[in-house]
Amino acid sequence: SEPDNPELYFQRSKWNLSMKKTALAELDIRKAITLDSTKSDYYLLLADICFAGFRIPDAETAFRKAASL
């Protein structure tokens, strides 16, 4: 087990999103971002999750953060 590996949270978040488990996907991607906030892919996934939940302002914020990295 690697509880401090952000890539594992990122991968699990993508899987959860593919299974339409957006709440779990968001928890995982936010944990990944907490562990490593330098990955634009993490913010892009957060934007996708927010967009899937019709949270357009949150999606835009995450997308802008991804673009700035």
Side-chain angles (χ1 to χ4, degrees):
S1 176
E2 299 179 55
D4 293 331
N5 185 336
E7 186 64 23
L8 295 178
Y9 287 100
F10 173 67
Q11 294 298 330
R12 189 169 69 179
S13 179
K14 288 197 310 186
W15 183 84
N16 278 324
L17 183 58
S18 74
M19 296 289 113
K20 309 291 189 220
K21 297 178 180 182
T22 54
L24 291 175
E26 185 170 350
L27 286 174
D28 280 340
I29 199 58
R30 289 194 183 277
K31 179 66 175 180
I33 289 169
T34 298
L35 294 170
D36 184 353
S37 61
T38 66
K39 304 280 196 225
S40 61
D41 285 349
Y42 295 0
Y43 288 97
L44 288 173
L45 182 57
L46 178 58
D48 287 345
I49 293 165
C50 291
F51 189 77
F54 303 102
R55 294 173 25 230
I56 306 308
D58 292 338
E60 182 180 2
T61 299
F63 182 75
R64 289 183 187 276
K65 179 65 178 179
S68 76
L69 294 175

